[in-house]
Structures are given as structure tokens and as C-alpha cells.
Amino acid sequence: MTNWTRKTADELAQALAAGEVTSVELTQAHLDRIAAVDGDADAGVHAFLHVDAEGALAQAKASDERRAAGAPASYLDGVPIAVKDVLATEGVPTTVASKILEGWIPPYDATVVKKLKAAGLPILGKTNMDEFAMGSSTEHSAYGPTRNPWDQTRIPGGSGGGSAAAVSAFEAPLAIGTDTGGSIRQPAAVTGSVGVKPTYGGVSRYGLVAMANSLDQVGPVTRTVLDSALLHELIGGHDPLDSTSIDAPVPAFADAAREGAAGDLTGLKVGVITELHGDGYQAGVLARFNESLDLLRAAGAEVVEVSCPSFVHALATYYLLMPSEASSNLAKFDAMRYGVRVTPEGDPSAEDVMRASRDAGFGDEVKRRIIIGTYALSSGYYEAYYGQAQKVRTLITRDFEAAFEQVDVLVSPTSPTTAFKLGEKLDDPIAMYLNDLATIPANLAGVPGISLPNGLADEDGLPSGFQILAPATEDVRLYRVGAALEAALEKNWGGPLLDRAPELEGVQA
Amino acid sequence: MSATGTAAKLMDLDKVLATYDPALGLEVHVELNTNTKMFCGCPTEFGAEPNTQVCPTCLGLPGAMPVVNAKAVEAAIRIGLALNCEIAEWCRFARKNYFYPDMPKNFQTSQYDEPIAFEGFMDVTIEGDDGEPENFRVEIERAHMEEDTGKSLHVGGATGRIHGADYSLVDYNRAGIPLIEIVTKPIVGAGAKAPAVARAYVAQLRELILALGVSDARMDQGSIRADVNLSLAPKGTEKLGTRTETKNVNSLRSVERAVRYEMRRHGAILAGGGSILQETRHWHEDTGVTTSGREKSDAEDYRYFPEPDLVPVAPTREWVEELRATLPENPTVKRARLQAEWGFTDLEMRDTIGAGAFGLVEETIAQGAAPQAARKWWLGEMARRSNETGVEITELGITPADVAKIQALVDAKTINDKLARQVIEGVIAGEGTPEEVVEKRGLAVVSDDGALSAAVDKAIEANPDVADKIRDGKVAAAGALIGAVMKEMRGQADAGRVRELIIEKLS
């Protein structure tokens, strides 16, 4: 009997098209897998905050009917998907992993969700994340952490740890994540999955509960480069409801991935970012990185060092701009119109209720960033902090522009280390922030990036990730180069890296 | 804080002016009449059921995003051009972060350091010392785009304000309606005419907005709201004094009164050795006083930053020039043209404008009434009612079309002038169109010879002496009989026909 949860989305699409399986069967298989391994806050992967079995099966049934009538809505019609709990889903709880939105059921769908539904992908449920997408480990979820399927004592990355874990634990073939400073790419790296942050504006943000609007981007989390390309094509494109979305046709990402899989990179110039490897990077991660560079050379690419001197300021810049925008976005959560409300004893004023609700509803990391952001925007400090950060952001963008005049793509390890232990960095915010060192520059400049698994670090046997960055709107290069490297790696391994992930014990849900 | 508005100690205005120079600043909010809101597709109709014209964006729901209404940008540019402003080649929206109970996002999307229009002016006409019209130039600092907030209804409590209320209801229908805020530079040098300049500025601005067709410009419905800044400085000093900002003054008359009141209040405080508290103040229409609102220092921290969800607005020069070419005739120029067309004297014209009836007269004439007739109704009957009730002449509840119709009925001898006043009363009372009022109240003039003849006979019988005089050829005496007939007919007789009948019968 075929284990449908082990297949890639592309393989599932082909099986559906060939009539080998129905969407209801596929969806049920994944729901069964979720029931077996996902568990809860105390045990199991805990990738999901909300599983919508009924909704997913209804969508699957509709998909089967379309296919029977010979009119599938898309190539991926019927392939189930998981969605990060930061995107609004009509009629399905959306909490952003925060207590403050506990029980909130949006009256509308995010544009990406709308597109998934229109394309016929049954939505299995909403995945766990750091509260309001603030974190690099999914330990800041108000509903308990997600665990890394490779080692359940370790973090799955963040903030999109739920989406990455769902994909790498075979609970969902596809997932949607969001990436503000690396929240798609870093979790993908530490769970052995593929994650793409599209060009800023490449995918609509409408319905994405904003952390930092000028940095946030929705993107795919999958097990292969081709699957990401297929999903990216579905969710990309202009949205009249998001004026920052790019008004241009969606390029043929899947074609680029298929072409890249042939493995020929002759003529490609690859730039290794000097500032993003070396000190502070785990030895095993660097070893896998250097091997990947050799594979690129073997495929015909020329590899050179490229310096981006302003990148050393990227982290500081990010941790001023992001909280500034977040502080403004989060002010609306006042417990008056939706979400939880905490009413103190006695005869409280509206202000007392808001204060108590926010105190109970927001976690420590969220409060920390609201305070930083409020401070950075305040009139006496605006120029010194927010204003300066915007200037450095411009310098980082210029570094990218200069680098892309010399090379076609830039590369680095995605994350400086493999997955660390749950709880290890919880009391040290700065150590936590350092995990996004390599991913943040792309968000500041709005350029696209992909992380794909490039092996296991020798010292801990955990996945490491390889990051490829391209100029804005040149996402096709990510798929072409990523697929070529993926093909070379899998040839060496004799199959996908995830095949080496441990079988998960069933948990009592 | 006083909520009801008791009068403060005031100084005589002449005394104020002997010692101080007033500086004015006016901030006028114009609610645009676009079909949809500033940042979403919700309808903007006034008076709809609460919370029926809302969506995730204007409710500020998590994840919702704004998109700029191109029609609102166009209106902003047209207003800017009409105020002789520069139009920005590139500008942005910013978030103005502050808490306000009926602002669902907890920030207002507005323009901060990059307004769409800036550096303009408007020449307002006031009455000079010699009684002749005099121009006063008001310089415009900026006109920028922003969105309106929702509306709160505070239930329970005596004042209708939030303090003391049992609970509050919020209506978000108005949240996100496009606003243009037009801010003047400090207006100095108006002296004793400051109240008149303030009124004339708002009145002319309102006319301009109406001419542009970008707003309903109804002050009573809040579609134009004026905030009046006022400060006094000792005569001869360059520096401006501490100002107060009187919020949401909602009639032209009140603008003038509020300026005068604040001048007298500031004068009394300063002369008494006190200092002015920089604060916002509430205007009380009924008592004609201002009361303290909230203290407002310059250091209020709105934590402005560019709105990351909106792309910059960059109107092309071609578009701006296109819009400039389609601007309507400037109301001041238009007034001169129409005065000539209508044959009004300067005095008639000035009275018409002074009564705030220029647009009404113009529209009434456009609806077919003769210029003098249109003027007569608006400056006579309607101005009288406006003065008596304190309701703006534009808000009486009778339209130029109604007036034109009434004059047509007079011209057709269906009614006479006296009956017309009753028709006006009926229309204002909401009894229907002029025709319907005539019908319902049975006001039509009787020119039916049967009915009139009987009344004439009765009058002749009751006044034999007068009848004799007429028989003797003293036709002028007919007036007395006409009066009797009119009385009998409750004013609804055709006086001309009555006269003819009397003379017929007695000759």
C-alpha cells in the first residue's frame, strides 16, 4: 500500500491526475498522520494549533468532483496544505499563536488563502508559530512549542516552526509560511525542508496579520524545490487589495525548477557573501556549505567571494525597524472588539480593561518588541533610531545592488547553527536574534531567497540549510539554481534528505 | 473641567484690540463626497444604519490592508490647485499613532511631513472700514489627505460626553471616509476684522469646495468642520502668543462668534496677569461660549512613520495640468460675472453674499426664477427665518428649486406673495413640495368669478358708503372693498380680479 504522506506535492498531483488516488484519500491520510504524531503542547510535534478536518475533507470532496468532471482548478487541485496561523481564514480560528486573539474567527480570507481555495487545495489546518511571528524557535507560541521532527528535544526554528515541522514530519506535503527576517528560511533549514521568501510584493500580504509590514512576505514551505515553485505560482501575483504587491505576471517558476533539475549551471556566477560565513558559524554547517559550493562548481558555476560590508549592521537595523512597525500594528489589540478580554476586579475603566487584557494577552517577547518599537519611534529618539535604521537599510540595499552587478546569485548558510535545544536560548533574546543573521538582509532589501537542505552536520546529525539570494523579481533564479543543487545533493545521498529523518513514534493525542 | 459651558470673564473687544494683536489659524476638515472610503471600497452614504458600511479594512481587523482611493487623490489635487498650492511630485502617507476610542486601527492614516498640496493662498473679501469690499490674503500652509474616525455615542450621563456615561456605542460607518485638512499659516494683521476674516475664509472656502463639487460641504452634518486657533500678542511684538484651538465649530456664524469669544477671553486673562493654557476647547453653540477640552502641548508624541502598507503617491505633471485645466471658474471671478448678468447693485450683491445666500440665489435663478425675485425670497423671508432661528440659511430645509417653483406659482397667479410665505413655511415644516403644500393647505388664489362675485357682493352690502363713493367715480376707494374681500377669502383671492369685479359691479 502506498504511503501517500511520503510523496512530494508534484507526485501527488500526478497521482491525482492519473486517478490513482482521490483527494479525499490524500487528505484523510494526512489527517491520520496528524492525529498520530502531532500531539499537543506537552508531547508530539505540535505543528498544528487548529486542525480543520471537516473543512479539509469537504474541500477534498469538491476537488474530487471537479476532477471527475474533467475540470480540475489547478495542477495542485486536491493536494492538501497547511497554513501558518498568521493568515486570516474565514470561519476558522486565527490566533497568531497569541492569547490575545484566542477564539477569534475572522470573517474573511487572506488573499493567499482565497487563492489556495480557488486552486482546490484542501486546507488541513493552521500551524503553530512564535506569537505574532516574533521569534526564531516557535517557543514563544502562547499555546506551547512545536518540536523538531528530527529531535523532539530541539526547536523547529521560528517563527514558522509549525509549517516547517508539519512538512518535515509528513503531516502536510505543502505549507504556507511568512518570512519577516527569516521565518520561512530558518525553520526550513533546521528541519531539512525547503522554504522560499519571494521578492517583497511578489505575494499578497492582504489578510496576513502584520508584524512588520515593510518586511513581511508570504511564501512556500515544501520538501522539494519544484514543489515550492508550483506553490509559489499559485499564490503569487498582483492583488488589488495590497497596493504594495507587484503588478506583473507571475513568472514560470516550475519551468525554471524543472530546467534547473537537469543540473547544468554553466555560465552562472555565484557570490559567496564574505560577511555571512566563518566566525560564529557551526563547523558542521560550514562543512556542508563548502561541499555545496563544490557541487555548484561541478555543475559549471563560477564561485567568487563578494563582500557586502553593511550586512554587519543588518541585525541592529532589523531590530529597530521591525519593532517600530510592530508597535504600531499591535496597538489595535485592545480587547474591545475581538479577542480575549480580561476584566479586573472592582469597577474598572475601559483603560483598566485594556491594560489587564494586554498584560494577560501578550507574551514577554511581544511586550519586549512593543516597548522597543515605541521607544524607537518616539519624538526624541526617532532620528537616532528609526531614522538611522532606515539609512542603513538603504546601504544594505545598495550592497545587494553592487553585489548583483558582479554575480547572478548570492549564497550563504541559511542559519549559523543547526537546531538548538528547546529552552536553550529562551532567556537570551540576543542569542536568539543571532539565528536570523544570514536571512535578515534579504528582508531589508526586499530581495528573494530560498533555503534548501544541504545535509546533516557531523557533530549532531541535524539538517543544515543552504541559502540562495537573487535580485528583486528574479525569483526564477532561486528555482533554477536551487533545483540544480538539490539534484546534485540527492544524487550523492541516493534520495531525499528527509528519508533519513527518524520515524516518529505515535503519540497519545 | 466644566462640561456645560459657563461664561468666563470677558474683556470688551475694543479694549482687547487697543492692547493686543490677534493671530488666527484655521484648520478646516473637508469630508470628500467620493463614492467609497479613503482606503477601502465601502460606501460613504451619510445617515446609514450604524456599522453597515464597514469591511475588514475600515474596521482595522487583523490582516486587513488599505489601498488609496484614486478619486480622493484627484479631489485633493483639485482643492490644492484651487487654493493656488504647489502639488507634491511625490508624497507619502504616514501613521499617526494615538489612541482614540473610535479609531479602529489605533492610528490614523494621514500625511505628515509630505502633504500632497502646500504653499498656497486664498484672497477673502471682507467689508472694509469705508464699507467697500476689501481683500485679505490668507496664506495656506498645506492641504493634506487623511481618513475620518468613527463616531461614538455615549449613553447615560448628563453631558453626552464619555465622562459619566454608562456605556458607549461606536459606529464605524464614518471611519475611513476621506478627509482633506486645509491648514492656514498664522493669519496676522486682521486686527478688529479677525472674526470677520475667519468667517469669510471658511465661507469662501466652502464656496470653493462646492464649486469643485468634491464635498457636500454641509457644516451641520460635519462634512466641513473648522478648528479655530487663536492667540493674542501684545501690540507691536513679532512673537505669537500662546494659542487655543477651538474644535469642530460647525457654522459660519459660530466661527465668527468663537473667534470673538476667544479674543475677549484671552484678553481678560492676559490683562489680569494670567497666562493662556495651550489646550483644545469645545464650542457651545447654544450659550456661545468655549470650554476647556484637553490640554495639548506641542510635544504630543504621535510617533509618525511612513505607512508601510501604502505605496507613495506620485501624481504626474501631466495629470496635475489636466486637473488644473478642468478647474471650475473661481467663485470670486464668477461672482463679478454673475453680478453683471443679474444686474445687481454692489449693495445687493454684498447683502446676498453676506447672508450666505449667493449660491442659493444662483441656483434659484438657474432653476428659472428672475434674479430680483430669487434675491427677494432669500434675503427677505429666508434671511429673516435664518436670523430668528439661528439656522444657517442653507440649512433651512428649503431648496433653490422649491423657491423657483414658488416664484413660478406667483408668476402664474396661483398664489400671491402673502400666500407664498405660507407655502415656504409648509415646505420648511416638511409638508412636501410647494405644489403639495398649496394643495394640502388649500392656499390657491381664488380667481373663480362665482366665488369672488359672492364675496364682492357681500362686501358691497356691508360697506354701502364706500360703494357709493366708487359709484361716484372715486375708484381709489376700491382698496377698502378689496381688503374686505381678501379678509373674507382669507387672503386667497386674486386681488386684480377682485378689483375688476368691484368696478364692473359699481359702474
Side-chain angles (χ1 to χ4, degrees):
Chain A
M1 192 185 138
T2 317
N3 184 352
W4 293 110
T5 63
R6 286 276 169 174
K7 302 276 185 193
T8 69
D10 183 47
E11 288 165 348
L12 295 178
Q14 289 177 36
L16 284 164
E20 294 163 18
V21 68
T22 65
S23 177
V24 169
E25 286 166 335
L26 283 186
T27 303
Q28 190 58 58
H30 286 94
L31 289 170
D32 292 345
R33 173 77 179 169
I34 293 168
V37 306
D38 204 54
D40 55 24
D42 300 321
V45 178
H46 196 222
F48 284 85
L49 290 179
H50 181 83
V51 177
D52 183 22
E54 201 181 311
L57 287 169
Q59 288 161 12
K61 189 162 168 277
S63 167
D64 287 335
E65 284 163 7
R66 273 193 301 274
R67 222 173 258 287
S74 71
Y75 179 67
L76 293 178
D77 192 345
V79 178
I81 190 165
V83 174
K84 189 176 179 182
D85 201 32
V86 69
L87 288 156
T89 42
E90 186 178 348
V92 174
T94 300
T95 66
V96 203
S98 180
K99 287 283 181 206
I100 206 138
L101 271 180
E102 188 167 321
W104 184 58
I105 298 180
Y108 75 109
D109 273 330
T111 296
V112 165
V113 172
K114 221 176 240 169
K115 287 188 173 202
L116 293 176
K117 286 182 178 173
L121 283 74
I123 296 172
L124 297 166
K126 306 295 289 293
T127 56
N128 201 1
M129 56 186 285
D130 283 299
E131 183 180 358
F132 280 102
M134 297 180 186
S136 308
S137 68
T138 314
E139 291 168 288
H140 294 296
S141 167
Y143 302 99
T146 296
R147 294 172 194 85
N148 193 321
W150 289 81
D151 176 348
Q152 293 193 39
T153 67
R154 290 177 188 268
I155 59 108
S159 66
S163 286
V167 165
S168 57
F170 301 99
E171 295 174 90
L174 300 169
I176 295 289
T178 60
D179 190 314
T180 307
S183 293
I184 288 175
R185 289 162 289 158
Q186 183 256 6
V190 301
T191 59
S193 42
V194 176
V196 176
K197 182 204 98 72
T199 295
Y200 183 76
V203 178
S204 169
R205 287 186 294 115
Y206 187 82
L208 160 62
V209 182
M211 169 160 71
N213 321 51
S214 74
L215 302 159
D216 295 339
Q217 194 51 215
V218 183
V221 182
T222 64
R223 289 188 213 117
T224 68
V225 174
L226 175 60
D227 282 1
S228 275
L230 290 167
L231 183 52
H232 191 169
E233 278 186 24
L234 275 190
I235 61 174
H238 182 247
D239 178 6
L241 296 178
D242 174 0
S243 69
T244 68
S245 72
I246 296 165
D247 196 358
V250 181
F253 299 132
D255 286 351
R258 290 190 179 105
E259 187 192 311
D264 183 11
L265 294 178
T266 308
L268 182 82
K269 271 190 100 169
V270 175
V272 176
I273 304 166
T274 311
E275 288 75 15
L276 296 185
H277 69 105
D279 285 352
Y281 282 74
Q282 191 179 319
V285 168
L286 283 178
R288 296 292 86 81
F289 179 66
N290 289 326
E291 281 169 19
S292 299
L293 294 180
D294 288 340
L295 291 177
L296 291 175
R297 285 189 195 96
E302 183 191 345
V303 178
V304 295
E305 282 262 333
V306 178
S307 176
C308 296
S310 302
F311 281 20
V312 295
H313 305 298
L315 199 69
T317 300
Y318 177 82
Y319 278 98
L320 285 170
L321 295 180
M322 178 275 297
S324 295
E325 294 184 21
S327 71
S328 168
N329 289 326
L330 268 55
K332 74 174 111 184
F333 296 98
D334 56 13
M336 289 295 126
R337 287 152 297 152
Y338 44 76
V340 291
R341 179 182 299 180
V342 177
T343 310
E345 295 283 309
D347 183 21
S349 65
E351 200 181 330
D352 295 331
V353 173
M354 287 181 205
R355 189 180 294 124
S357 301
R358 284 169 168 164
D359 187 30
F362 288 134
D364 287 347
E365 185 61 24
V366 173
K367 287 175 187 160
R368 182 178 294 131
R369 296 194 195 191
I370 290 171
I371 291 166
I372 292 171
T374 305
Y375 185 79
L377 284 177
S378 60
S379 60
Y381 302 96
Y382 182 92
E383 263 317 307
Y385 293 113
Y386 184 87
Q388 281 298 107
Q390 284 291 29
K391 285 177 194 155
V392 179
R393 183 178 193 171
T394 303
L395 295 180
I396 289 166
T397 305
R398 285 192 195 143
D399 273 3
F400 269 117
E401 283 164 5
F404 285 126
E405 274 172 20
Q406 304 167 54
V407 297
D408 299 303
V409 292
L410 290 166
V411 298
S412 77
T414 308
S415 174
T417 66
T418 55
F420 51 88
K421 292 271 188 189
L422 285 160
E424 192 182 319
K425 298 186 181 180
L426 214 43
D427 297 327
D428 188 351
I430 305 292
M432 185 81 91
Y433 297 165
L434 282 168
N435 271 275
D436 298 334
L437 196 67
T439 47
I440 280 172
N443 298 82
L444 290 171
V447 304
I450 189 172
S451 175
L452 63 147
N454 67 340
L456 305 177
D458 300 321
E459 55 271 39
D460 51 22
L462 292 168
S464 69
F466 187 83
Q467 173 173 248
I468 307 168
L469 304 172
T473 73
E474 289 294 334
D475 308 43
V476 281
R477 293 186 201 171
L478 306 182
Y479 293 111
R480 188 165 84 88
V481 180
L485 178 59
E486 182 184 57
L489 286 164
E490 291 198 2
K491 199 173 157 207
N492 286 356
W493 299 331
L497 186 75
L498 274 176
D499 282 355
R500 293 198 239 164
E503 278 302 321
L504 297 175
E505 298 290 318
V507 290
Q508 298 296 323
Chain B
M1 184 179 110
S2 157
T4 48
T6 46
K9 214 176 116 205
L10 300 180
M11 185 188 248
D12 187 77
L13 200 60
D14 289 336
K15 275 193 191 159
V16 173
L17 290 162
T19 325
Y20 302 103
D21 286 325
L24 274 172
L26 292 154
E27 292 168 24
V28 176
H29 285 87
V30 178
E31 203 175 87
L32 298 180
N33 60 1
T34 49
N35 292 326
T36 56
K37 291 187 180 179
M38 187 75 220
F39 300 115
C40 65
C42 285
T44 53
E45 222 170 288
F46 181 81
E49 281 288 299
N51 297 310
T52 54
Q53 301 184 343
V54 293
C55 72
T57 293
C58 58
L59 285 175
L61 290 186
M65 291 176 71
V67 175
V68 175
N69 182 340
K71 283 283 172 198
V73 175
E74 183 180 311
I77 294 173
R78 295 180 72 222
I79 289 174
L81 290 171
L83 291 171
N84 305 296
C85 287
E86 302 288 322
I87 304 302
E89 298 199 11
W90 191 93
C91 64
R92 270 186 300 196
F93 283 95
R95 289 187 182 181
K96 185 180 184 182
N97 291 285
Y98 66 105
F99 174 77
Y100 196 59
D102 41 25
M103 191 168 64
K105 293 176 294 186
N106 261 264
F107 58 81
Q108 183 185 32
T109 308
S110 178
Q111 291 195 294
Y112 175 48
D113 49 354
E114 300 164 311
I116 181 118
F118 52 94
E119 300 286 332
F121 65 87
M122 183 161 88
D123 287 326
V124 300
T125 309
I126 51 169
E127 193 177 317
D129 295 327
D130 53 3
E132 289 299 306
E134 182 187 313
N135 272 342
F136 192 96
R137 176 158 292 193
V138 172
E139 290 187 66
I140 309 290
E141 183 177 301
R142 57 190 280 154
H144 72 249
M145 302 179 275
E146 60 182 36
E147 59 180 336
D148 214 339
T149 62
K151 259 194 233 177
S152 296
L153 178 66
H154 305 296
V155 182
T159 61
R161 297 196 191 282
I162 195 163
H163 296 283
D166 293 331
Y167 60 92
S168 301
L169 299 171
V170 186
D171 176 7
Y172 290 111
N173 282 354
R174 202 181 65 181
I177 294 209
L179 290 180
I180 306 296
E181 181 176 349
I182 301 160
V183 182
T184 67
K185 292 186 177 164
I187 304 166
V188 291
K193 298 196 186 70
V197 166
R199 177 182 181 140
Y201 168 74
V202 178
Q204 263 182 248
L205 185 58
R206 190 174 164 275
E207 268 181 45
L208 186 69
I209 299 295
L210 277 172
L212 289 167
V214 293
S215 169
D216 303 336
R218 294 192 57 150
M219 292 191 83
D220 64 325
Q221 292 187 354
S223 54
I224 288 196
R225 312 199 284 268
D227 297 345
V228 178
N229 287 286
L230 185 104
S231 64
L232 294 183
K235 266 198 173 312
T237 38
E238 293 280 300
K239 232 179 124 211
L240 294 175
T242 305
R243 68 171 194 278
T244 53
E245 182 182 3
T246 305
K247 303 288 282 184
N248 295 330
V249 183
N250 64 356
S251 75
L252 295 176
R253 187 167 157 259
S254 295
V255 168
E256 190 168 358
R257 287 168 79 201
V259 171
R260 203 178 293 127
Y261 181 88
E262 281 296 280
M263 283 171 73
R264 295 179 64 195
R265 194 180 67 83
H266 283 216
I269 293 171
L270 293 173
S275 54
I276 303 298
L277 188 63
Q278 185 168 326
E279 61 180 357
T280 63
R281 297 187 65 85
H282 300 296
W283 168 249
H284 300 273
E285 181 76 45
D286 45 351
T287 48
V289 305
T290 68
T291 55
S292 178
R294 112 190 108 92
E295 232 181 283
K296 191 179 184 182
S297 68
D298 275 329
E300 184 133 10
D301 196 351
Y302 291 119
R303 304 194 310 284
Y304 284 102
F305 73 100
E307 165 58 86
D309 280 340
L310 290 171
V311 288
V313 176
T316 64
R317 294 301 96 179
E318 292 75 17
W319 189 36
V320 171
E321 289 316 308
E322 251 171 60
L323 293 176
R324 197 194 300 277
T326 61
L327 285 182
E329 188 178 9
N330 179 295
T332 314
V333 175
K334 184 178 171 184
R335 264 205 303 276
R337 178 175 61 79
L338 289 179
Q339 185 183 348
E341 278 179 30
W342 297 342
F344 281 11
T345 64
D346 283 352
L347 184 66
E348 285 170 342
M349 201 64 186
R350 207 152 63 229
D351 286 349
T352 307
I353 294 161
F358 177 76
L360 297 166
V361 168
E362 184 196 355
E363 181 61 21
T364 307
I365 295 167
Q367 295 278 342
Q372 284 300 346
R375 193 184 148 272
K376 179 187 77 182
W377 289 119
W378 287 109
L379 267 70
E381 184 67 10
M382 257 59 96
R384 183 182 63 77
R385 286 173 179 274
S386 171
N387 285 337
E388 277 174 18
T389 56
V391 174
E392 286 293 326
I393 194 161
T394 49
E395 318 297 348
L396 284 171
I398 186 161
T399 66
D402 292 332
V403 175
K405 187 71 223 175
I406 289 166
Q407 182 57 36
L409 291 169
V410 171
D411 291 343
K413 297 205 161 115
T414 307
I415 54 173
N416 55 32
D417 278 12
K418 203 171 156 199
L419 292 171
R421 292 197 177 85
Q422 293 187 48
V423 178
I424 288 168
E425 183 186 280
V427 170
I428 288 175
E431 291 168 25
T433 64
E435 291 94 331
E436 284 164 1
V437 174
V438 168
E439 175 72 29
K440 279 187 203 159
R441 294 196 174 192
L443 292 179
V445 161
V446 177
S447 45
D448 162 36
D449 279 2
L452 289 181
S453 186
V456 169
D457 289 346
K458 206 173 161 188
I460 291 172
E461 207 182 306
N463 300 282
D465 300 355
V466 181
D468 284 345
K469 280 184 191 169
I470 297 169
R471 285 196 189 92
D472 291 348
K474 288 182 182 164
V475 180
L481 287 184
I482 294 169
V485 173
M486 289 304 264
K487 200 171 172 189
E488 172 75 14
M489 301 289 290
R490 290 210 193 95
Q492 285 171 251
D494 177 346
R497 185 60 194 146
V498 170
R499 187 183 186 84
E500 282 171 22
L501 281 173
I502 291 168
I503 292 166
E504 252 174 53
K505 283 174 191 280
L506 297 179
S507 56

mmCIF file of all heavy atoms in Angstrom, chain B residues 46-61:
data_model
loop_
_atom_site.group_PDB
_atom_site.id
_atom_site.type_symbol
_atom_site.label_atom_id
_atom_site.label_comp_id
_atom_site.label_asym_id
_atom_site.label_seq_id
_atom_site.Cartn_x
_atom_site.Cartn_y
_atom_site.Cartn_z
ATOM 1 N N PHE B 46 -24.233 59.170 3.905
ATOM 2 C CA PHE B 46 -24.475 59.722 5.235
ATOM 3 C C PHE B 46 -25.782 59.175 5.795
ATOM 4 O O PHE B 46 -26.759 59.028 5.076
ATOM 5 C CB PHE B 46 -24.545 61.256 5.161
ATOM 6 C CG PHE B 46 -24.776 61.921 6.495
ATOM 7 C CD1 PHE B 46 -23.718 62.113 7.369
ATOM 8 C CD2 PHE B 46 -26.051 62.318 6.869
ATOM 9 C CE1 PHE B 46 -23.928 62.714 8.599
ATOM 10 C CE2 PHE B 46 -26.268 62.922 8.109
ATOM 11 C CZ PHE B 46 -25.201 63.114 8.970
ATOM 12 N N GLY B 47 -25.759 58.858 7.085
ATOM 13 C CA GLY B 47 -27.006 58.505 7.760
ATOM 14 C C GLY B 47 -27.431 57.061 7.636
ATOM 15 O O GLY B 47 -28.561 56.721 7.977
ATOM 16 N N ALA B 48 -26.564 56.187 7.156
ATOM 17 C CA ALA B 48 -26.928 54.774 7.055
ATOM 18 C C ALA B 48 -26.980 54.150 8.455
ATOM 19 O O ALA B 48 -26.431 54.694 9.403
ATOM 20 C CB ALA B 48 -25.917 54.037 6.187
ATOM 21 N N GLU B 49 -27.650 53.024 8.577
ATOM 22 C CA GLU B 49 -27.692 52.280 9.840
ATOM 23 C C GLU B 49 -26.270 52.081 10.354
ATOM 24 O O GLU B 49 -25.382 51.764 9.565
ATOM 25 C CB GLU B 49 -28.304 50.900 9.603
ATOM 26 C CG GLU B 49 -29.813 50.904 9.501
ATOM 27 C CD GLU B 49 -30.460 51.142 10.860
ATOM 28 O OE1 GLU B 49 -30.244 50.310 11.760
ATOM 29 O OE2 GLU B 49 -31.141 52.164 11.018
ATOM 30 N N PRO B 50 -26.058 52.223 11.658
ATOM 31 C CA PRO B 50 -24.696 52.078 12.187
ATOM 32 C C PRO B 50 -24.044 50.757 11.779
ATOM 33 O O PRO B 50 -24.698 49.714 11.745
ATOM 34 C CB PRO B 50 -24.907 52.124 13.708
ATOM 35 C CG PRO B 50 -26.140 52.915 13.887
ATOM 36 C CD PRO B 50 -27.012 52.598 12.702
ATOM 37 N N ASN B 51 -22.773 50.870 11.441
ATOM 38 C CA ASN B 51 -21.932 49.702 11.146
ATOM 39 C C ASN B 51 -22.456 48.827 10.012
ATOM 40 O O ASN B 51 -22.294 47.613 10.019
ATOM 41 C CB ASN B 51 -21.700 48.881 12.420
ATOM 42 C CG ASN B 51 -20.936 49.681 13.457
ATOM 43 O OD1 ASN B 51 -19.901 50.252 13.147
ATOM 44 N ND2 ASN B 51 -21.459 49.757 14.659
ATOM 45 N N THR B 52 -23.083 49.453 9.026
ATOM 46 C CA THR B 52 -23.499 48.711 7.838
ATOM 47 C C THR B 52 -22.573 49.016 6.664
ATOM 48 O O THR B 52 -22.630 48.348 5.648
ATOM 49 C CB THR B 52 -24.940 49.069 7.421
ATOM 50 O OG1 THR B 52 -25.032 50.486 7.279
ATOM 51 C CG2 THR B 52 -25.940 48.593 8.464
ATOM 52 N N GLN B 53 -21.728 50.055 6.793
ATOM 53 C CA GLN B 53 -20.828 50.406 5.695
ATOM 54 C C GLN B 53 -19.397 50.196 6.157
ATOM 55 O O GLN B 53 -18.619 51.138 6.289
ATOM 56 C CB GLN B 53 -21.086 51.854 5.265
ATOM 57 C CG GLN B 53 -22.536 52.034 4.829
ATOM 58 C CD GLN B 53 -22.857 53.426 4.298
ATOM 59 O OE1 GLN B 53 -22.122 54.365 4.512
ATOM 60 N NE2 GLN B 53 -23.955 53.535 3.599
ATOM 61 N N VAL B 54 -19.100 48.934 6.445
ATOM 62 C CA VAL B 54 -17.787 48.602 7.000
ATOM 63 C C VAL B 54 -17.244 47.323 6.376
ATOM 64 O O VAL B 54 -18.003 46.514 5.838
ATOM 65 C CB VAL B 54 -17.864 48.415 8.536
ATOM 66 C CG1 VAL B 54 -18.187 49.723 9.228
ATOM 67 C CG2 VAL B 54 -18.873 47.339 8.907
ATOM 68 N N CYS B 55 -15.919 47.162 6.448
ATOM 69 C CA CYS B 55 -15.258 45.959 5.951
ATOM 70 C C CYS B 55 -14.022 45.722 6.827
ATOM 71 O O CYS B 55 -13.727 46.541 7.694
ATOM 72 C CB CYS B 55 -14.848 46.148 4.482
ATOM 73 S SG CYS B 55 -13.455 47.274 4.278
ATOM 74 N N PRO B 56 -13.299 44.619 6.623
ATOM 75 C CA PRO B 56 -12.123 44.375 7.462
ATOM 76 C C PRO B 56 -11.154 45.566 7.496
ATOM 77 O O PRO B 56 -10.580 45.873 8.536
ATOM 78 C CB PRO B 56 -11.479 43.144 6.805
ATOM 79 C CG PRO B 56 -12.635 42.385 6.240
ATOM 80 C CD PRO B 56 -13.576 43.458 5.728
ATOM 81 N N THR B 57 -10.996 46.265 6.378
ATOM 82 C CA THR B 57 -10.017 47.356 6.341
ATOM 83 C C THR B 57 -10.446 48.529 7.219
ATOM 84 O O THR B 57 -9.678 48.988 8.064
ATOM 85 C CB THR B 57 -9.778 47.811 4.890
ATOM 86 O OG1 THR B 57 -9.130 46.748 4.194
ATOM 87 C CG2 THR B 57 -8.897 49.057 4.842
ATOM 88 N N CYS B 58 -11.680 49.016 7.057
ATOM 89 C CA CYS B 58 -12.050 50.201 7.845
ATOM 90 C C CYS B 58 -12.415 49.822 9.281
ATOM 91 O O CYS B 58 -12.514 50.697 10.131
ATOM 92 C CB CYS B 58 -13.119 51.045 7.159
ATOM 93 S SG CYS B 58 -14.646 50.207 6.785
ATOM 94 N N LEU B 59 -12.580 48.529 9.541
ATOM 95 C CA LEU B 59 -12.743 48.094 10.927
ATOM 96 C C LEU B 59 -11.392 47.812 11.563
ATOM 97 O O LEU B 59 -11.309 47.505 12.746
ATOM 98 C CB LEU B 59 -13.592 46.816 10.987
ATOM 99 C CG LEU B 59 -15.093 46.974 10.755
ATOM 100 C CD1 LEU B 59 -15.763 45.617 10.735
ATOM 101 C CD2 LEU B 59 -15.714 47.850 11.835
ATOM 102 N N GLY B 60 -10.319 47.900 10.770
ATOM 103 C CA GLY B 60 -8.987 47.645 11.302
ATOM 104 C C GLY B 60 -8.802 46.219 11.766
ATOM 105 O O GLY B 60 -8.047 45.960 12.695
ATOM 106 N N LEU B 61 -9.477 45.268 11.143
ATOM 107 C CA LEU B 61 -9.326 43.873 11.568
ATOM 108 C C LEU B 61 -7.900 43.400 11.284
ATOM 109 O O LEU B 61 -7.254 43.877 10.356
ATOM 110 C CB LEU B 61 -10.324 42.970 10.838
ATOM 111 C CG LEU B 61 -11.794 43.134 11.211
ATOM 112 C CD1 LEU B 61 -12.648 42.077 10.516
ATOM 113 C CD2 LEU B 61 -12.001 43.043 12.718
#
